[in-house]
């Protein structure tokens, strides 16, 4: 895969037009996540996160998830923009999906909008939807992007792309 931006000729978004540092914006559409035929979340209160070369991901209110499905674990990572991320496991049908999503309990000042919100890896759920469209998961799971038909790459994250 080559690091060559695609210039959209229509209303699609090129991830190469996304900014760095990343941008947050309120998302006016619907986000749904299903796993093992259980509706985990269905919300119209998401925050879209966009960063150069990555498909967007969505921060969803923790309160939108069914009670008892998410359990915080000890895993943490650091983002130069947002700060320290804490991770949650999904508990469903007696099973645990480790590091299902992440939160910034005290995000850096420019990203306070995501406080109290969780981003989920699309690859760890059976189906994730943006406005009714089932998404593809960004390869590699480092960034957790959600790919819809209106998002153009190429996308960072697959093997061989980390140096882009």
């Amino acid at each position: 895969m080559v690091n060559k931006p695609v210039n959209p000729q229509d209303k699609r978004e090129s991830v190469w037009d996304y900014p760095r540092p990343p941008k947050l914006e309120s998302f006016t559409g619907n986000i749904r996540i299903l796993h093992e035929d259980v509706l985990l979340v269905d919300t119209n209160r998401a925050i879209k996160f966009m960063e150069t070369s990555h498909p967007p991901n969505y921060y969803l209110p923790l309160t939108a998830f069914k009670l008892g499905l998410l359990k915080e674990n000890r895993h943490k990572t650091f983002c130069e923009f947002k700060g320290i991320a804490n991770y949650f496991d999904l508990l469903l049908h007696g099973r645990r999906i480790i590091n299902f999503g992440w939160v910034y309990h005290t995000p850096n000042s420019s990203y306070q909008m995501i406080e109290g919100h969780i981003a989920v890896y699309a690859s760890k759920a059976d189906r994730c939807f943006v406005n009714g469209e089932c998404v593809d998961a960004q390869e590699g799971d480092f960034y957790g992007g959600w790919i819809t038909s209106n998002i153009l790459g190429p996308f960072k994250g697959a093997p061989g792309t980390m140096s882009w």
Side-chain angles (χ1 to χ4, degrees):
M1 182 173 281
V2 179
N3 171 9
K4 185 177 179 189
V6 175
N7 293 319
Q9 303 299 314
D10 51 27
K11 293 185 179 191
R12 293 183 292 172
E13 300 175 16
S14 169
V15 297
W16 293 92
D17 292 333
Y18 291 166
R20 188 165 171 88
K23 174 185 173 183
L24 294 171
E25 66 182 33
S26 291
F27 181 69
T28 56
N30 179 259
I31 302 290
R32 286 187 304 125
I33 301 173
L34 291 102
H35 191 70
E36 296 182 7
D37 293 322
V38 174
L39 180 63
L40 305 178
V41 66
D42 184 352
T43 185
N44 291 319
R45 297 180 296 128
I47 299 166
K48 186 176 179 181
F49 179 82
M50 297 159 286
E51 181 175 3
T52 304
S53 76
H54 308 292
N57 57 29
Y58 298 87
Y59 283 84
L60 315 170
L62 277 166
T63 56
F65 281 80
K66 292 187 177 190
L67 195 61
L69 291 178
L70 299 173
K71 178 162 177 60
E72 192 164 356
N73 64 36
R74 295 181 181 187
H75 185 65
K76 295 180 190 314
T77 57
F78 176 75
C79 170
E80 65 184 300
F81 302 111
K82 295 171 281 185
I84 296 173
N86 298 74
Y87 286 74
F88 280 79
D89 298 341
L90 174 68
L91 307 174
L92 189 63
H93 303 305
R95 290 187 294 279
R96 178 183 295 257
I97 298 175
I98 297 171
N99 298 335
F100 185 73
W102 65 97
V103 301
Y104 292 89
H105 290 303
T106 53
N108 293 334
S109 61
S110 297
Y111 297 93
Q112 287 189 344
M113 185 178 191
I114 60 172
E115 187 173 346
H117 290 70
I118 183 169
V120 170
Y121 289 104
S123 64
K124 295 195 177 196
D126 288 341
R127 293 182 310 266
C128 297
F129 297 88
V130 174
N131 291 329
E133 179 182 350
C134 192
V135 306
D136 290 323
Q138 179 179 11
E139 237 183 303
D141 258 358
F142 183 76
Y143 299 99
W146 294 27
I147 304 169
T148 56
S149 59
N150 70 320
I151 304 296
L152 299 173
F155 310 114
K156 187 173 181 178
T161 65
M162 295 306 283
S163 62
W164 289 1

